[in-house]
Amino acid sequence: MTLAEEDSVPQGSLRIPGGLFVVFEGIDGTGKSTQLLLLAEKLRQLGYAVVATCEPTNGPYGRMIRELFVDRDTVSREEELELFIADRKQHVQEVITPALSEGSAVICDRYYLSTIAYQGANGMDPELILEKNENFPIPDLAIILEIEPAQGIHRIQNQRNEHPNTFEKEANLQKVAKIFASMQQDYIMRINGSDSIENVHRRVFEAVAKVLAQKTTQPGDG
Ligand code: ADP
Ligand code: TYD
């Protein structure tokens, strides 16, 4: 089966050996949620079983994290890190690992690179953050969408009609963006998020299709 044969494939019938794990990363307002929805729709049209998810989750730890957005100073930075790790542990156990085992494409809005960037910008040791994340599944592809922090804030305020939360102040986002820019993992792909939604989607899909082709080609094929 190739991507070109998409029209005849019923949704959800194609399984990927070991699943496909794609995460969207980047500062706030880069277009992660927008691109996640477009990618999920595209993969479903191609016939894949897709699980679209996000962190922080809507579970108990995720809800506690969202309360921090109102006032970050109610917990220490160590406690803040522990909340993100507890949320991820539950997310991995209950959603991500089972979906990958079933051969689904799991697409997640934020994952552990966000913890390295945001809790790192908040003064936590990057080595300690990595250590706390080392037992979680490694993504097949992490797409970091890049825009200027001021543009991200502008999008949040003017297009989403929201007020930036305490994580979204420009000086903080500058620090976060710098950490994202320094990451070297070989599964990272950087895409300019200030291009049009359609152009960003095209690049995202090109990158995903490449990884998918590698995953679905069995040794000995071709
Ligand atoms: P994130 O999930 O990264 O915070 P969103 O996907 O919610 O970002 O996008 C933030 C806002 O910017 C939304 O109103 C969205 O419609 C808009 N947006 C997303 N991508 C683009 C783009 N490439 N060009 C212009 N506006 C965009
Ligand atoms: P999110 O809801 O994705 O915000 P947005 O749609 O504006 O990008 O994420 C909420 C906030 O949580 C975001 O400011 C980044 C922060 N965050 C961390 O600080 N550490 C983490 O590990 C994760 C997953 C998110």
Side-chain angles (χ1 to χ4, degrees):
M1 182 68 63
T2 67
L3 294 181
E5 291 170 85
E6 62 191 79
D7 288 346
S8 56
V9 182
Q11 289 197 11
S13 63
L14 289 182
R15 301 287 157 163
I16 306 152
L20 173 76
F21 189 19
V22 178
V23 301
F24 282 95
E25 296 281 10
I27 60 167
D28 306 75
T30 46
K32 294 179 296 300
S33 321
T34 305
Q35 293 300 329
L36 180 134
L37 289 177
L38 290 173
L39 178 63
E41 191 186 331
K42 177 76 181 173
L43 289 173
R44 286 191 180 114
Q45 278 169 6
L46 290 169
Y48 292 98
V50 176
V51 172
T53 184
C54 69
E55 290 187 9
T57 69
N58 293 318
Y61 296 108
R63 286 199 294 275
M64 284 159 81
I65 290 167
R66 278 172 217 289
E67 283 170 22
L68 291 182
F69 297 166
V70 182
D71 183 4
R72 197 175 189 172
D73 297 331
T74 52
V75 294
S76 69
R77 58 191 187 182
E78 288 78 13
E79 288 167 333
E80 179 186 295
L81 172 62
E82 290 307 328
L83 281 175
F84 281 108
I85 299 296
D87 188 41
R88 183 159 307 127
K89 190 171 176 195
Q90 188 171 24
H91 193 206
V92 164
Q93 276 174 356
E94 294 180 8
V95 178
I96 297 176
T97 300
L100 291 173
S101 306
E102 285 174 1
S104 298
V106 177
I107 317 174
C108 189
D109 188 345
R110 295 194 182 281
Y111 193 51
Y112 59 65
L113 298 183
S114 279
T115 320
I116 297 169
Y118 283 82
Q119 279 58 57
N122 198 27
M124 294 301 294
D125 175 8
E127 287 301 316
L128 175 77
I129 301 174
L130 268 176
E131 213 175 278
K132 290 195 177 282
N133 280 285
E134 70 189 2
N135 292 324
F136 298 131
I138 298 170
D140 294 302
L141 178 66
I143 295 170
I144 299 184
L145 296 178
E146 296 186 315
I147 59 170
E148 287 300 321
Q151 192 184 0
I153 290 173
H154 180 84
R155 282 185 185 171
I156 292 165
Q157 284 174 328
N158 295 296
Q159 284 160 258
R160 251 173 26 188
N161 280 323
E162 289 173 17
H163 292 294
N165 64 45
T166 58
F167 288 42
E168 294 169 341
K169 301 280 186 273
E170 187 170 344
N172 185 47
L173 289 188
Q174 296 277 10
K175 275 199 229 169
V176 173
K178 218 170 154 185
I179 302 176
F180 273 127
S182 71
M183 293 175 178
Q184 302 284 339
Q185 284 84 342
D186 58 6
Y187 51 82
I188 288 176
M189 158 98 191
R190 293 187 163 80
I191 295 178
N192 176 6
S194 58
D195 208 342
S196 69
I197 290 176
E198 297 71 27
N199 283 346
V200 176
H201 172 60
R202 195 167 324 117
R203 289 197 190 102
V204 165
F205 184 65
E206 273 168 19
V208 171
K210 247 186 223 163
V211 177
L212 201 46
Q214 286 162 6
K215 287 220 129 193
T216 49
T217 305
Q218 300 298 321
D221 279 5

